[in-house]
């Protein structure tokens, strides 16, 4: 979940230069709006294909004097000596942890946590329904141009089933909202305890009409940073477990052989839209081949990108996309909304939205 931090004393943005590096064409209307809101602010826009790192760097003159940065990819530290604020396009900050700029305590990083929640949650529920109703099997039969009823396939509907959400941030909350609409019970897992109604509220960006802003959906809450605590959560007869937690040293390979053995009791379906490194790939392959789990839907893999002819491609009961669940024409307008709000708060010295906690990296 996002957090807020106190910004520097208000000075306005009249001496600032904002560099926007995104995979979208320049939005002249939005840039004009920012200049109107912040007289004296200079805005530069560079359209770049999606990448985790800008290599080679942009021309030196593009970086000259830049103090504010809106980007997905990391940039060479030596080009960013004057930067004091970074608005990330991503929901997490794990790709930046090793950056020298990230290590500077006087540079504020904010994510766009919440902007990706609707489309990614729909991917989770869409793949869940696709697997349970065997849509891929019927699509293959349709190609044969023959009316075939696949009566041998077991179809599952959702009422009365249980979803476990491992990481109850904005994406997890929207998954819970959709699961509840399907008649499912939801269990939530967070790193820290959420014992009070106030602690269960979401303080990150939220698209109106989505998510679980007050934390009212879960029937049960679990918490902890140890594998024992995770194992207790996974042992709750979950029909589907959704991985929507940040990647940290403590969450790498949070699903391994021991955890798949626990999930085998219910043959839980596994959905990962967080990071590929959350799952031990070899353990997942064995779990699928041995029928320990019902199946898996992955938008992220380890390694990523998945090499040609990797065994995951042909593993049974698996569906893979390649870090594309975030796609939506509504994404960048939401990103702009978050950036606009944060720039206004920055100019006034007010708390920022989705500020990254440097201890936990989200």
């Amino acid at each position: 979940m996002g957090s807020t931090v106190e910004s520097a004393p208000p000075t306005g943005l009249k001496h600032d230069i904002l560099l926007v590096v995104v995979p979208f064409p320049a939005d002249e209307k939005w840039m004009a709006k920012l200049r109107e809101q912040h007289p004296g602010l200079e805005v530069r826009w560079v359209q770049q294909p999606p990448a985790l790192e800008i290599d080679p760097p942009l021309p030196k003159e593009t970086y000259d004097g830049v103090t504010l940065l809106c980007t997905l990819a990391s940039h060479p530290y030596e080009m960013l000596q004057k930067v004091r604020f970074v608005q990330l396009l991503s929901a997490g900050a794990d790709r930046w942890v090793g950056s020298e700029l990230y290590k500077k305590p006087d540079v504020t990083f904010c994510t766009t946590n919440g902007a990706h929640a609707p489309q990614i949650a729909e991917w989770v529920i869409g793949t869940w329904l696709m697997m349970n109703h065997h849509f891929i099997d019927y699509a293959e039969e349709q190609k044969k141009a023959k009316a075939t009823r696949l009566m041998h396939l077991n179809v599952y509907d959702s009422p009365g089933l249980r979803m476990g959400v491992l990481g109850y941030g904005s994406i997890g909350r929207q998954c819970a909202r959709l699961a509840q609409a399907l008649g499912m019970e939801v269990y939530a897992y967070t790193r820290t305890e959420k014992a009070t109604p106030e602690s269960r509220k979401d303080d990150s960006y939220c698209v109106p009409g989505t998510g679980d802003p007050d934390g009212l959906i879960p029937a049960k809450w679990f918490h902890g940073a140890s594998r024992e605590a995770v194992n207790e959560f996974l042992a709750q007869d979950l029909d589907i477990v959704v991985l929507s937690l940040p990647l940290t040293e403590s969450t790498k390979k949070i699903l391994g052989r021991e955890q798949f053995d626990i999930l085998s009791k219910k043959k839980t379906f596994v959905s990962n839209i967080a990071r590929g490194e959350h799952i031990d790939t070899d353990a997942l392959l064995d779990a699928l081949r041995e029928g320990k789990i019902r199946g898996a839907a992955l938008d992220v893999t380890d390694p990523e990108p998945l090499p040609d002819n990797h065994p995951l491609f042909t593993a049974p009961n698996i569906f893979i996309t390649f870090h594309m669940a975030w796609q939506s024409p509504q994404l960048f307008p939401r990103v702009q909304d978050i950036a606009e709000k944060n720039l206004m708060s920055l100019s006034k010295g007010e708390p920022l939205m989705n500020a990254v906690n440097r201890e936990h990296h989200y």
Side-chain angles (χ1 to χ4, degrees):
M1 286 172 31
S3 59
T4 58
V5 296
E6 294 294 333
S7 182
T11 59
L13 304 182
K14 61 183 178 181
H15 301 301
D16 284 287
I17 298 175
L18 170 64
L19 175 60
V20 181
V21 184
V22 294
F24 308 102
D27 186 336
E28 297 293 345
K29 184 177 179 180
W30 187 58
M31 288 194 289
K33 182 180 180 182
L34 292 179
R35 295 186 186 107
E36 182 180 352
Q37 291 176 338
H38 308 283
L41 174 67
E42 180 181 341
V43 184
R44 300 173 188 168
W45 192 295
V46 177
Q47 182 178 1
Q48 283 271 3
L52 298 179
E53 182 179 357
I54 298 296
D55 187 22
L58 303 174
K60 183 179 182 300
E61 58 269 22
T62 304
Y63 293 108
D64 283 348
V66 169
T67 56
L68 314 173
L69 181 63
C70 179
T71 185
L72 171 66
S74 62
H75 299 251
Y77 173 65
E78 60 271 17
M79 301 291 189
L80 304 173
Q81 298 295 309
K82 296 183 179 181
V83 169
R84 64 188 179 103
F85 168 75
V86 180
Q87 177 67 67
L88 300 176
L89 270 67
S90 55
D94 55 285
R95 308 295 191 188
W96 279 80
V97 171
S99 164
E100 290 301 317
L101 185 67
Y102 185 83
K103 297 175 184 178
K104 292 180 64 174
D106 57 338
V107 179
T108 301
F109 279 75
C110 292
T111 71
T112 47
N113 183 32
H116 312 75
Q119 61 270 38
I120 292 181
E122 290 181 16
W123 183 97
V124 169
I125 297 300
T127 53
W128 162 253
L129 295 176
M130 177 189 67
M131 298 289 277
N132 282 345
H133 291 267
H134 304 285
F135 291 155
I136 289 180
D137 297 276
Y138 275 102
E140 291 301 315
E141 290 300 316
Q142 182 181 336
K143 294 176 184 178
K144 300 175 183 178
K146 294 176 62 178
T148 305
R149 302 177 71 189
L150 303 179
M151 301 297 293
H152 65 287
L153 298 176
N154 293 321
V155 172
Y156 300 88
D157 56 24
S158 297
L161 301 186
R162 180 175 297 156
M163 171 184 281
V165 183
L166 194 53
Y168 204 64
S170 60
I171 294 171
R173 288 170 186 258
Q174 180 62 2
C175 289
R177 185 186 184 102
L178 298 181
Q180 184 185 59
L182 291 174
M184 300 177 73
E185 183 179 50
V186 176
Y187 284 6
Y189 185 94
T190 57
R191 179 184 55 82
T192 57
E193 186 176 7
K194 308 293 181 184
T196 65
E198 187 63 29
S199 69
R200 294 177 178 180
K201 291 184 177 181
D202 187 11
D203 63 355
S204 59
Y205 179 82
C206 186
V207 176
T210 70
D212 181 22
D214 294 317
L216 300 177
I217 292 177
K220 287 187 178 181
W221 290 74
F222 296 77
H223 73 278
S226 67
R227 291 305 162 97
E228 291 76 17
V230 171
N231 290 349
E232 180 188 358
F233 173 70
L234 296 177
Q236 300 302 310
D237 290 335
L238 307 177
D239 295 283
I240 172 175
V241 61
V242 179
L243 279 70
S244 57
L245 69 169
L247 183 66
T248 65
E249 284 301 317
S250 65
T251 65
K252 287 182 178 178
K253 295 191 176 181
I254 200 166
L255 290 192
R257 297 187 186 280
E258 180 182 8
Q259 289 70 39
F260 284 118
D261 284 342
I262 294 170
L263 296 176
S264 68
K265 176 184 175 183
K266 196 69 184 287
K267 293 191 180 298
T268 305
F269 185 83
V270 175
S271 182
N272 188 10
I273 46 75
R275 291 289 185 263
E277 297 96 317
H278 282 129
I279 296 180
D280 182 325
T281 299
D282 290 338
L284 172 62
L285 280 167
D286 287 343
L288 289 166
R289 290 165 176 165
E290 297 169 15
K292 290 183 177 181
I293 58 176
R294 189 186 306 176
L298 309 178
D299 185 54
V300 288
T301 59
D302 183 25
E304 187 175 304
L306 205 59
D308 292 350
N309 301 312
H310 190 279
L312 274 178
F313 282 111
T314 53
N317 301 317
I318 193 169
F319 178 80
I320 310 172
T321 56
F322 302 98
H323 218 138
M324 302 301 290
W326 56 267
Q327 281 194 314
S328 167
Q330 287 82 31
L331 173 60
F332 194 55
R334 295 171 191 150
V335 169
Q336 290 174 299
D337 188 31
I338 296 172
E340 189 176 322
K341 286 179 167 64
N342 273 337
L343 289 173
M344 185 59 70
S345 296
L346 191 67
S347 72
K348 296 179 179 180
E350 296 176 350
L352 304 180
M353 179 183 295
N354 290 353
V356 175
N357 181 311
R358 289 302 218 289
E359 180 182 355
H360 302 298
H361 308 306
Y362 63 89

